[in-house]
Amino acid sequence: MINPLAGKPAVQSMLVNVPKLVAAYYTEIPDPSVPGQRVVFGTSGHRGSSFEVTFNERHVLAVSQAICQYRKQQGINGPLFLGIDTHALSVPAFASALEVLAANDVEVMIAENDEYTPTPVISHAILNCNRLRKTRLADGIVITPSHNPPDNGGFKYNPPNGGPADTDITGWLEGKANEYLENGLQGVKRVPFGKALCAATTHRYDYLNAYVNDLGSVLDMDAIRGANMRMGVDPLGGAGVHYWPRIAERYGLNLNVVNDAVDPTFRFMTLDWDGKIRMDPSSSYAMQRLIDMKDRFDIAFACDTDHDRHGIVTRSAGLLPPNHYLSVAIFYLFQYRQKWRKDAAVGKTMVSSQMIDRIATKLGRKLYEVPVGFKWFVDGLLNGSLGFGGEESAGASFARIDGRVWTTDKDGIVPALLSAEITARMGRDPGEIYRDLVRDLGEPVYRRVEAQATPEQKEKLEKITPKQIRFADLADEKIQHILTQAPGNGAPVGGIKVIAENGWFAARPSGTEDIYKIYAESFRGSDHLNRIVEEAQTILGDVLAGKRSQLNSMKK
């Protein structure tokens, strides 16, 4: 159900009470016997709200000490790059983390001038530091709940490969952190914040210029500047707010920052589909202000709060759905990056559009299809076997112009600027290019829906097997494949994907909420898509209720 306030400006009564939120961070004590109050690493670290006792000081202290223990165990003794976004809980969490890191004698790199630091900038710093090293390797922490509402906090760990920590690491950190919670933080080392800030192991690092000055190695900044196109960017009050003016100055771009406000209530946002404030650049509701400005610019874009996701607004089509832009970016990059390896593959998650499959075939490129989570692209981006990795949730990164790794975490800034490069070099904006692709390869319609699920039902879905799905057809088409493992790397999907000739659906439980998600797509139009979604809901409802699916006997 779309909230009637969706796309409208936030009103005063909806704004988070920041002093109360921060007070709850310090005063509310999580009970580790309550599952929801334990440390839980989802696909992007531990997230929660201090109001709900799911992200509090004790969580951050416990996870920080667990990271120190992990580093010691693995022999990681180089610098740790620490960054934060603009959420209200990020600054207190930063203080808590630094107190623990300094007490454990970890060499920590914090931003000059207390600057906010986007997620991709941390990945970039880790990789640059480790590029010529075999010892004293660096790693990093990003304190962010990504695009989540203003009352949320988040905490992510990036190991020396620069990308999101894999499940073996997050599982270990989660277990150790919960041990600390259960033992009343016994064993957690800590010094006062003032002492931590002045510690010999705490250093200032110019993240902003190190990243901005290197952008010419991943993007054709000369082409963008030469086209002199009018560009607009909305940082959505996020960590890259001061990066964009520096990018414009450094490369001589006609780039206008339409909103440079930083406000932890995010009062300048228009409300998302459910009436909540959420800094999601792929949501037409959250992006309403920039969409309304589209005719002022040749191309416009936005990023979420930690700038690891992108939203592209074109004159021709308005806000592009993430799958549309990923398709265009792949189509462009694999033709215009002549120095990339000839066997470099296209990386996509299993819930991304099959348009990407068709483009990969058209370009003669191998497709590397993995479960949800950017961590699955890390090794391929690092070793050059992937030229591009992208998720349907508007997260992507790709190789430098010479084929070397740029980042191994999602980068919202670079795909955003790529939209300007594409427009400059192809003479059409990405919306127009997508229309051409549709005429050539077929037009998909795509949907994601969510449904409530108990923890027990989520566990059932995560462990589902193809044998539990007993049907031959999906929306009147013969089923070709039922997958519980990703074709690219054989990793468990944590759910299921069902594929027919002109449509498919996938389902997986949420890692952080009591819901499951259905993703569906059809190349035969909206009516066909509706049938796929309806039948998927029936099939999954039976499985979650412990029944055997009998869809092939259903009458329509």
Side-chain angles (χ1 to χ4, degrees), residues 9 26 125 127 185 189 198 385 435 534:
Y26 289 108
L127 293 175
L185 299 184
K189 298 179 181 179
C198 298
S385 62
R435 283 205 299 266
E534 289 169 7

Side-chain angles (χ1 to χ4, degrees), residues 215-343:
L215 283 170
S217 72
V218 70
L219 294 160
D220 188 344
M221 302 304 286
D222 291 337
I224 299 173
R225 179 175 56 253
N228 196 32
M229 69 185 76
R230 290 170 297 169
M231 293 174 279
V233 59
D234 190 343
L236 300 182
V241 65
H242 298 143
Y243 280 65
W244 294 106
R246 179 70 185 113
I247 291 169
E249 177 189 14
R250 170 68 177 79
Y251 295 100
L253 305 183
N254 185 3
L255 176 64
N256 179 28
V257 180
V258 302
N259 175 33
D260 62 1
V262 175
D263 181 341
T265 67
F266 295 89
R267 67 180 68 236
F268 44 76
M269 291 296 300
T270 49
L271 301 176
D272 205 0
W273 66 273
D274 56 357
K276 294 182 179 181
I277 297 175
R278 191 179 286 110
M279 289 61 70
D280 182 355
S282 65
S283 165
S284 60
Y285 303 104
M287 287 278 283
Q288 194 60 54
R289 184 178 56 219
L290 190 59
I291 293 170
D292 288 345
M293 298 180 187
K294 73 179 180 68
D295 292 334
R296 287 175 45 187
F297 305 107
D298 298 304
I299 194 76
F301 33 81
C303 291
D304 66 338
T305 324
D306 69 321
H307 272 50
D308 72 344
R309 300 182 189 218
H310 59 270
I312 310 300
V313 177
T314 67
R315 273 189 164 187
S316 65
L319 178 67
L320 292 182
N323 280 313
H324 293 195
Y325 182 62
L326 293 181
S327 300
V328 171
I330 291 164
F331 179 71
Y332 171 82
L333 285 167
F334 282 89
Q335 295 181 85
Y336 282 80
R337 293 299 189 259
Q338 298 296 321
K339 294 182 180 180
W340 284 9
R341 283 170 40 176
K342 299 305 179 186
D343 63 345

Side-chain angles (χ1 to χ4, degrees), residues 464-474 479 482 496 498 505 538-540 542-543 546-554:
I464 195 171
T465 66
K467 289 183 179 179
Q468 290 177 268
I469 311 296
R470 293 176 173 268
F471 63 99
D473 302 317
L474 178 65
I479 297 301
I482 301 176
I496 199 159
V498 177
F505 79 84
T538 301
I539 295 162
L540 295 168
D542 287 350
V543 170
K547 303 174 184 177
R548 286 185 173 179
S549 174
Q550 298 293 331
L551 182 62
N552 53 331
S553 65
M554 288 171 56

Side-chain angles (χ1 to χ4, degrees), residues 131-149:
R131 187 162 55 93
L132 300 176
R133 294 189 181 196
K134 294 190 181 299
T135 60
R136 284 189 47 75
L137 296 178
D139 55 359
I141 291 171
V142 192
I143 299 174
T144 174
S146 190
H147 60 288
N148 280 22

Side-chain angles (χ1 to χ4, degrees), residues 114-165:
D114 298 320
E115 185 63 69
Y116 302 109
T117 311
T119 286
V121 174
I122 294 295
S123 179
H124 178 268
I126 294 169
L127 293 175
N128 275 4
C129 182
N130 290 340
R131 187 162 55 93
L132 300 176
R133 294 189 181 196
K134 294 190 181 299
T135 60
R136 284 189 47 75
L137 296 178
D139 55 359
I141 291 171
V142 192
I143 299 174
T144 174
S146 190
H147 60 288
N148 280 22
D151 68 345
N152 274 219
F155 202 94
K156 301 194 298 185
Y157 175 65
N158 287 37
N161 62 23

